[in-house]
């Protein structure tokens, strides 16, 4: 069994996703196709990278990941197959890989399929063909020429000061939960055991404790906790868009809005970052 994941901004209202799956299953009927998301904001490689980065390591080695966000081939943008930590990734070289990985992968191949393939819908006509080839045991070097460099898109990193981490909203899920770009690793390195508060918008919305579980607060109460992907999440226990409003609705937060963690108390650390 081979697994192929799909991440795109195609949506689910139209026939596009079904067309990609039809191409995959026609060429590799043994494969299992898993949707990561097709509701990425149009053309937003940052959001696509966040979603795929949150899950790809949970798949078995050998999984092929197709990313169909800004996938077009042009004079400034090639399409590539990347092998990294036992997984394969197929996408346009539009900067998304620098958002997916913390280091440059060693095995990169610029796709050079014959022009007979449908390049007008590259996720179906090019990426599906490459994914089917790999899922059947084909080597990626048969899909194109090896290259050594990928385009870089600077990640939007938190700003760190002595007593503050200033991050931003990077994703809002369908419950209205708010994912920040503040990681637990960064928080642990900076906190040194000090008390922390989460601030955003008005002082009225301050959260004075980072919880471990939803049930640490009463239903309907605001909270902050570490999501399973390691980022700080702001939520309403039991809240959603359809059930009284999620955190994004009630706090008026949107993508790129500022979220701050303030530390209080003494620390023995001399590292002020």
């Amino acid at each position: 069994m081979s697994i192929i994941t799909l991440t795109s901004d195609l949506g689910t209202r139209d026939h596009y996703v079904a067309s990609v799956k039809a191409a995959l299953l026609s060429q590799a009927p043994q494969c299992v196709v898993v949707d990561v998301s097709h509701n990425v904001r149009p053309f937003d490689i940052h959001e696509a990278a966040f979603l795929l980065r949150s899950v790809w390591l949970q798949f078995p080695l050998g999984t092929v990941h197709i990313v169909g966000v800004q996938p077009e081939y042009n004079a400034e943008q090639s399409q590539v197959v990347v092998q990294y930590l036992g997984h394969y990734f197929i996408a346009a070289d539009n900067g998304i890989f620098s958002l997916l990985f913390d280091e440059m992968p060693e095995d990169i191949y610029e796709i050079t399929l014959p022009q007979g393939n449908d390049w007008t819908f590259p996720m179906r006509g090019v990426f599906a063909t490459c994914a089917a080839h790999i899922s059947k045991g084909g080597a990626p070097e048969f899909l194109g020429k090896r290259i050594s460099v990928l385009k870089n898109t600077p990640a939007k990193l938190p700003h760190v000061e002595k007593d503050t981490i200033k991050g931003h909203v990077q994703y809002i899920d369908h419950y209205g939960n708010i994912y920040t770009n503040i990681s637990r690793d960064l928080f642990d390195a900076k906190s040194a055991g000090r008390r922390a508060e989460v601030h955003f918008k008005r002082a009225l919305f301050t959260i004075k404790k980072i919880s471990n579980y939803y049930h640490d607060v009463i239903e309907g109460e605001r909270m902050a906790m570490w999501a399973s992907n390691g980022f700080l999440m702001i939520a309403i226990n039991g809240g959603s868009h359809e059930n009284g409003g999620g955190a994004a609705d009630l706090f008026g937060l949107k993508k790129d809005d500022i979220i701050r963690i303030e530390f209080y108390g003494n620390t023995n650390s001399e590292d002020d970052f």
Side-chain angles (χ1 to χ4, degrees):
M1 179 185 72
S2 57
I3 298 173
I4 300 173
T5 78
L6 303 176
T7 304
S8 80
D9 58 1
L10 296 174
T12 55
R13 179 177 179 271
D14 305 301
H15 64 283
Y16 305 127
V17 173
S19 183
V20 174
K21 292 181 179 180
L24 286 168
L25 294 172
S26 295
Q27 298 176 73
Q30 83 291 345
C31 75
V32 175
V33 182
V34 178
D35 299 302
V36 175
S37 178
H38 297 293
N39 294 312
V40 174
R41 295 202 313 179
F43 318 115
D44 192 336
I45 62 171
H46 288 268
E47 187 164 295
F50 169 80
L51 291 168
L52 185 53
R53 184 165 181 152
S54 295
V55 72
W56 71 264
L57 271 172
Q58 300 172 36
F59 284 91
L61 295 177
T63 297
V64 182
H65 307 278
I66 294 177
V67 184
V69 179
Q70 295 187 22
E72 291 77 16
Y73 173 86
N74 55 53
E76 290 80 34
Q77 178 172 286
S78 60
Q79 297 159 328
V80 294
V81 176
V82 170
Q83 188 173 359
Y84 182 68
L85 297 183
H87 292 245
Y88 298 91
F89 299 82
I90 303 172
D93 183 16
N94 54 20
I96 193 169
F97 293 105
S98 62
L99 303 173
L100 270 175
F101 312 139
D102 293 327
E103 58 190 4
M104 181 72 70
E106 294 183 359
D107 297 314
I108 309 165
Y109 301 89
E110 183 179 349
I111 297 171
T112 56
L113 292 180
Q115 290 300 314
N117 290 82
D118 183 4
W119 294 76
T120 62
F121 187 179
M123 193 173 176
R124 179 189 65 191
V126 179
F127 295 174
T129 298
C130 294
H133 169 82
I134 294 170
S135 74
K136 292 185 289 187
E141 49 262 40
F142 287 103
L143 299 171
K145 62 181 181 180
R146 183 185 287 271
I147 59 176
S148 59
V149 177
L150 292 167
K151 287 183 179 178
N152 179 64
T153 296
K156 300 176 182 178
L157 300 176
H159 177 71
V160 181
E161 297 177 354
K162 183 177 181 180
D163 297 317
T164 306
I165 300 175
K166 183 184 290 185
H168 69 268
V169 177
Q170 67 170 333
Y171 183 71
I172 298 171
D173 71 13
H174 80 282
Y175 291 100
N177 297 328
I178 298 159
Y179 285 82
T180 77
N181 68 334
I182 300 172
S183 70
R184 183 158 195 172
D185 288 341
L186 176 60
F187 175 88
D188 288 344
K190 188 61 185 170
S191 67
R194 293 180 291 171
R195 181 173 65 86
E197 293 183 356
V198 181
H199 298 266
F200 49 94
K201 291 285 187 178
R202 298 188 295 276
L204 175 66
F205 297 150
T206 295
I207 298 174
K208 297 183 179 296
K209 177 184 177 182
I210 298 179
S211 302
N212 294 314
Y213 307 100
Y214 284 104
H215 63 250
D216 287 343
V217 304
I218 62 173
E219 187 168 334
E221 182 59 80
R222 63 185 180 274
M223 63 179 301
M225 64 182 290
W226 298 109
S228 59
N229 61 4
F231 289 102
L232 183 72
M233 182 177 72
I234 298 168
I236 301 292
N237 182 17
S240 69
H241 291 304
E242 294 79 21
N243 184 31
D249 304 306
L250 297 178
F251 302 140
L253 287 167
K254 60 186 183 300
K255 189 171 180 181
D256 294 328
D257 280 350
I258 298 298
I259 307 292
R260 298 189 336 274
I261 296 180
E262 302 281 352
F263 296 102
Y264 301 91
N266 297 321
T267 173
N268 295 323
S269 173
E270 297 180 355
D271 184 0
D272 289 338
F273 282 67

